[in-house]
Each structure stands twice: as C-alpha cells, then as structure tokens.
C-alpha cells in the first residue's frame, strides 16, 4: 500500500504537487503559530445610525514568523481542511470573551457586543455548546454581548439539529447573526425556523448597489425579509455615502464598513 501511495504521487502534475506542498507548508506554519502567538484579533465597528456604535466584528489576522500578514481568505480554507480551524476558533472565542470582560469595566464600552465568525465545522463539534459556556464562564464575559456569526453552510446538514444547538446556546444569552446572507442557498422556509437575531447583507450586494438594479433589488428584498421576520438587518462592506444613503432609504439602520472604520487592533480603537 505504501508503494502504491508513493506511485500515486506521479498522477499529480508538477503544478499540483507544488500546490500540495505549499498547502502543507502553510498547515505546518499555522500549527506553529497556534502554539505561539502568531494570531491577532482585529475589530471592526458596527454602527446603528440612530444610536451610534453598537459593537464590533472580530476578524482574525495571521502574522507568520518572518512573513507579511496573511489574509484569512487564504488561510481559513487551509485551517478548515486540516481541522486547525477548531482550536483556532476556540482561541478566537476566548480572546473575544476576554475583550468583552475588559470592556465591561468601562461605561463607554460596557454595552458593546462582539461578533465572532464560527465555521460550520466548529459549530458541529459535539462539545461546542459546552465550550461556549466554558469560554463565557472562564472570562466572566456577559453572554448577551457575544454574537455568533454563522453562514448558511452551517445549515446544509440537519436543520433540526442546528436549531436545537442554537437554542441551547441562546439559552446562555448569546445571540446569532446569519452572515453573507443571499450568497448561499438559503431557503426562506428554513430561515424562518432558525432562531436568529440578525441577518447580514453580504458585501457583494452592497458594493454595486448604486450601479446594479439587481443588487439594489436584492438589498431591498433582504431588508423586507428581515423586517417581516422581526430580525435586525446589518449591511457589511459600506464604503461610501451613496451606499449609505441607499441603505438608509431601504430602512437598514445598522452598518459596518470602511466608511465607519476598518478592522483594527483594539489598542488603536478610540471609543
Ligand atoms: P466576513 O465574515 O464576511 O468578513 C467581512 C470581510 O470584509 C472582512 O475581511 C473585512 O475586513 C472586510 N470588510 C469590512 N468592511 C469592508 C468594506 O467596507 N469594504 C470591503 N471591500 N471589505 C470590507 P477579512 O477580515 O479579510 O475576512 C475575510 C473572511 O475570513 C471573513 O469574511 C470570514 O469569512 C473569514 N474570517 C475572518 N476571521 C475569522 C475567524 O475568526 N473565524 C472564521 N471561521 N473565519 C474568519
Ligand atoms: Ca462575518
Ligand atoms: Ca460577511
Ligand atoms: Ca464573506
């Protein structure tokens, strides 16, 4: 079997082999950074147009030794495939919970929430609910300030199980947002069943809202769906005033994007 395995390598073209090597090198480097302190959370403001700052989305940044920062778009897929996303995701949750606990000491930041991205693979871990409870307890964070961002990939499998798990986590006080809404295969029938607090309009629709009648119509429709289901709606990727004006006109009052602030280390935040 070993010999066959070695021969099998020949079926890969040199370009494919190179890609495989690069991937396993990245996997090794990710593993190394996870043991050290090669990751940081950056925080991007979320703003309610009526009341002001309401919180932040935590976005992971990887600073491998002796290299430039690597974009999550590049390393999250490798972390997913290798399973490293699971310890990495717990690190994100613990770090965000500790930040919430720090914020609780200051009247200006006490009511802010932090949203974290949860990969489907992590959400389906048998002990996930327990680990959320643990992160909250260990940090002393207020559960009501933690929001979990799920994508539609989470509900590809068993909707009943997902609903039950979400309810267990909500019982702790934690809230849920459905990220990248409109880009997956969401069916409205299960959207109704998920115990969500918020849906997030994907930035791909926001980007071209001024030039694409289709995207404008999609954004209007998403806002209407959210309103009819009684969910908060947030637009991500808001970069300019024209987009903001359009969103305001549709009734979307919560926004995130470069217009309000880029993801930054918490030390650079001025609240
Ligand atoms: P996402 O969850 O959809 O995050 C939004 C992305 O849009 C972020 O990219 C953010 O920096 C970027 N962004 C924010 N405002 C604007 C804007 O006005 N214009 C434009 N063009 N982009 C904007 P980022 O930080 O590179 O993250 C990319 C993706 O990586 C995230 O997409 C998310 O899917 C994933 N990711 C990031 N952090 C984590 C994490 O801690 N865990 C997991 N599982 N995934 C993560
Ligand atoms: Ca997100
Ligand atoms: Ca998103
Ligand atoms: Ca996205």
């Amino acid at each position: 079997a070993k010999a066959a395995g070695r021969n099998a390598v020949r079926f890969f073209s040199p370009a494919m082999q190179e890609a495989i090597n690069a991937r396993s090198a990245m996997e090794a480097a990710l593993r190394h950074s996870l043991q050290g302190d090669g990751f940081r959370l950056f925080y991007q403001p979320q703003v309610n147009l009526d009341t002001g700052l309401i919180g932040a989305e935590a976005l992971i940044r990887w600073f491998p030794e002796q290299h430039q920062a690597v974009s999550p778009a590049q390393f999250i897929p490798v972390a997913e495939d290798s399973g490293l996303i699971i310890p990495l995701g717990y690190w994100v949750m613990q770090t965000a919970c500790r930040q919430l606990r720090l914020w609780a000491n200051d009247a200006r930041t006490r009511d802010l929430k932090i949203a974290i991205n949860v990969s489907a693979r992590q959400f389906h871990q048998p002990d996930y609910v327990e680990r959320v409870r643990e992160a909250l307890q260990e940090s002393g964070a207020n559960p009501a300030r933690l929001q979990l961002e799920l994508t539609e990939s989470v509900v590809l499998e068993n909707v009943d199980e997902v609903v039950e798990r979400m309810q267990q986590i909500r019982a702790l006080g934690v809230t849920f947002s459905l990220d990248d809404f409109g880009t997956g295969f969401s069916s409205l029938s299960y959207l109704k069943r998920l115990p969500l607090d918020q849906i997030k309009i994907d930035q791909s629709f926001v980007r071209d809202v001024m030039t694409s009648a289709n995207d404008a119509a999609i954004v209007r429709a998403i806002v209407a769906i959210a309103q009819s289901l009684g969910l908060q709606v947030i637009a991500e990727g808001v970069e300019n005033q024209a987009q903001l004006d359009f969103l305001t006109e549709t009734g979307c009052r919560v926004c995130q994007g470069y217009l309000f602030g880029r993801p930054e280390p918490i030390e650079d935040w001025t609240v």
Side-chain angles (χ1 to χ4, degrees), residues 116-220:
I116 61 172
N117 295 283
V118 180
S119 95
R121 193 159 169 186
Q122 178 161 42
F123 186 82
H124 290 295
Q125 291 297 300
D127 64 345
Y128 186 66
V129 179
E130 204 37 56
R131 299 299 298 269
V132 175
R133 196 196 320 270
E134 243 172 55
L136 289 165
Q137 260 164 16
E138 277 170 10
S139 62
N142 179 350
R145 301 287 169 260
L146 181 66
Q147 186 158 62
L148 304 184
E149 292 196 3
L150 305 179
T151 59
E152 291 159 55
S153 60
V154 161
V155 276
L156 284 182
E157 312 221 344
N158 186 338
V159 185
D160 292 324
E161 251 168 51
V162 172
V163 169
E164 194 190 322
R165 184 156 288 208
M166 286 174 75
Q167 275 160 349
Q168 289 168 344
I169 295 171
R170 280 182 118 220
L172 303 173
V174 174
T175 61
F176 282 97
S177 179
L178 190 59
D179 200 3
D180 300 346
F181 186 70
T183 61
F185 302 95
S186 12
S187 108
L188 295 179
S189 67
Y190 79 57
L191 181 63
K192 206 176 65 180
R193 294 175 51 202
L194 296 179
L196 291 165
D197 300 276
Q198 180 191 74
I199 59 182
K200 203 167 195 183
I201 306 173
D202 189 64
Q203 54 181 286
S204 62
F205 304 119
V206 175
R207 189 194 311 127
D208 299 325
V209 93
M210 302 314 296
T211 49
S212 157
N214 282 339
D215 286 351
I218 289 170
V219 169
R220 280 204 182 86

Side-chain angles (χ1 to χ4, degrees), residues 44 57-61 71-73 76 85 92 117-119 149 179-180 203 236-239 257-258 263:
Q44 184 177 34
E57 178 176 3
L59 293 155
I60 196 166
R61 296 290 178 263
S71 153
I76 293 286
I85 194 69
V92 168
N117 295 283
V118 180
S119 95
E149 292 196 3
D179 200 3
D180 300 346
Q203 54 181 286
E236 69 177 357
V238 183
E239 293 183 352
Y258 296 164

